């Protein structure tokens, strides 16, 4: 199979994913290992349960790949430069039938050559992801809002955690507020009031950041502090406002590796 890392295909280096000489893609546990947070006391049988954290450890796995012919030191040098030394997480895509819809946001933390008869022909790479899950490819859905508008948004993620996509809102003339009520999340409301005219509002719900991109207005004073989020499956949204609303992001998939 082909894989792409940091925007470059392994085919550019004459490489492909395969098993060789006892080195193979080993089975790994899913990334969302449960860390149960609770306290057990002497005077009761059941624990005092506070919750479960599934994000302590990111997904980590081995990737084995190589060439059809032996590699010289110049080729090893180029491959190492391509895969290692990055300061930010990079996107990894594996062209495998059951992984073609996802990408991993990761770093190669260790790269070990594999030799046959003292001659290098393959590599074993340690892949460390930024979270326990794989990402879907970016989605960008635009809606024209006029007064009260109903939207059915399906969160296709295969995780139980909330998805927190980004929102962009360009209000129509005279519109000063945006309200989004999620009927599938206990009628939870995202409310932003006091939006100036001729504004373009960008909300990063995952990082908790609201920006007015045209003039730099401070919009936090009119915010009810409920950042927008989506539950798994169907989300029936009731939107109040006038303008163009864009919901964008990536779905999360618990696929292991």
């Amino acid at each position: 199979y082909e894989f792409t890392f940091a925007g470059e295909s392994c085919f550019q280096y004459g490489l492909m994913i395969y098993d060789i000489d006892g080195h193979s893609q080993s089975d790994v546990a899913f990334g969302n290992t449960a860390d149960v947070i609770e306290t057990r006391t002497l005077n009761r049988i059941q624990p005092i349960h506070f919750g479960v954290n599934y994000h302590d450890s990111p997904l980590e796995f081995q990737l084995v790949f190589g060439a059809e012919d032996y590699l010289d030191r110049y080729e090893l040098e180029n491959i190492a430069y391509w895969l290692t030394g990055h300061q930010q997480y990079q996107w990894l895509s594996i062209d495998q039938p059951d992984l073609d819809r996802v990408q991993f946001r990761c770093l190669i933390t260790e790269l070990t050559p594999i030799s046959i008869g003292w001659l290098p022909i393959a590599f074993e790479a340690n892949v460390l992801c930024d979270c326990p899950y794989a990402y879907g490819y970016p989605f960008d859905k635009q809606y024209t809002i006029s007064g009260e508008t109903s939207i059915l948004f399906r969160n296709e993620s295969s995780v139980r955690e909330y998805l927190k996509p980004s929102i962009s809102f360009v209000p129509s003339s005279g519109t000063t507020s945006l309200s989004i009520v999620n009927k599938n999340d206990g009628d939870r409301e995202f409310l932003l009031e006091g939006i100036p005219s001729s504004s373009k509002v960008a909300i990063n719900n995952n990082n908790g950041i609201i920006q007015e991109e045209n003039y730099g207005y401070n919009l936090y004073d009119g915010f009810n502090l409920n950042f927008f989020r989506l539950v798994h499956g169907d989300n029936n949204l009731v939107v109040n406002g006038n303008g163009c609303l864009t919901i964008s992001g990536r779905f999360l998939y618990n696929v292991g590796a």
Side-chain angles (χ1 to χ4, degrees):
Y1 295 118
E2 177 189 9
F3 73 93
T4 301
F5 181 79
E8 294 187 71
S9 169
C10 65
F11 287 167
Q12 295 178 231
Y13 298 86
L15 303 172
M16 68 191 76
I17 297 176
Y18 60 58
D19 298 341
I20 180 172
D21 195 32
H23 298 271
S24 62
Q25 328 304 324
S26 58
D27 293 331
V28 297
F30 286 93
N32 60 335
T33 304
D35 180 17
V36 182
I37 303 171
E38 59 188 23
T39 299
R40 295 185 177 270
T41 62
L42 296 175
N43 62 345
R44 54 182 286 170
I45 299 174
Q46 294 81 12
I48 301 173
H49 183 76
F50 299 102
V52 184
N53 184 5
Y54 289 97
H55 308 138
D56 273 354
S57 300
L59 182 64
E60 189 171 8
F61 58 91
Q62 302 296 319
L63 190 67
V64 178
F65 54 92
E68 293 184 357
D69 299 315
Y70 293 110
L71 301 167
D72 60 33
R73 288 297 168 183
Y74 299 106
E75 291 171 314
L76 296 178
E77 182 181 13
N78 289 334
I79 293 167
Y81 181 82
W82 164 42
L83 294 175
T84 63
H86 296 279
Q87 295 298 313
Q88 300 294 331
Y89 287 102
Q90 305 294 322
W91 291 107
L92 168 67
S93 304
I94 301 176
D95 188 21
Q96 182 177 309
D98 57 353
L99 291 175
D100 58 359
R101 61 175 177 151
V102 303
Q103 292 180 295
F104 299 94
R105 190 166 180 259
C106 59
L107 288 168
I108 306 297
T109 59
E110 187 175 353
L111 187 64
T112 305
I114 301 171
S115 297
I116 302 295
W118 299 99
L119 296 174
I121 193 171
F123 289 92
E124 183 176 68
N126 188 72
V127 181
L128 178 67
C129 300
D130 72 331
C131 77
Y133 309 118
Y135 296 82
Y137 285 87
F139 64 81
D140 192 281
K141 300 181 183 293
Q142 291 188 352
Y143 306 92
T144 299
I145 308 302
S146 179
E148 184 175 300
T149 304
S150 295
I151 296 173
L152 175 60
F153 191 101
R154 181 162 182 79
N155 175 9
E156 299 176 5
S157 300
S158 58
V159 302
R160 293 183 181 272
E161 288 84 351
Y162 291 110
L163 182 68
K164 300 175 181 178
S166 296
I167 292 176
S168 176
F169 181 60
V170 179
S172 300
S173 178
T175 298
T176 60
S177 66
L178 172 66
S179 168
I180 308 175
V181 176
N182 191 339
K183 307 301 287 186
N184 295 86
D185 191 17
D187 287 342
R188 189 175 190 270
E189 181 184 25
F190 166 94
L191 177 62
L192 186 62
E193 298 178 304
I195 301 174
S197 59
S198 303
S199 295
K200 181 181 180 182
V201 181
I203 303 105
N204 185 323
N205 294 285
N206 196 45
N207 293 331
I209 298 173
I210 300 177
Q211 293 178 303
E212 196 292 302
E213 296 186 325
N214 287 342
Y215 307 104
Y217 293 119
N218 179 8
L219 302 178
Y220 287 94
D221 290 341
F223 180 46
N224 70 345
L225 302 181
N226 284 338
F227 281 96
F228 180 65
R229 66 190 189 187
L230 297 166
V231 300
H232 171 71
D234 289 344
N235 290 261
N236 290 279
L237 310 177
V238 178
V239 184
N240 274 283
N242 292 278
C244 180
L245 175 68
T246 303
I247 302 175
S248 58
R250 292 173 180 257
F251 296 123
L252 296 171
Y253 295 100
N254 192 14
V255 296

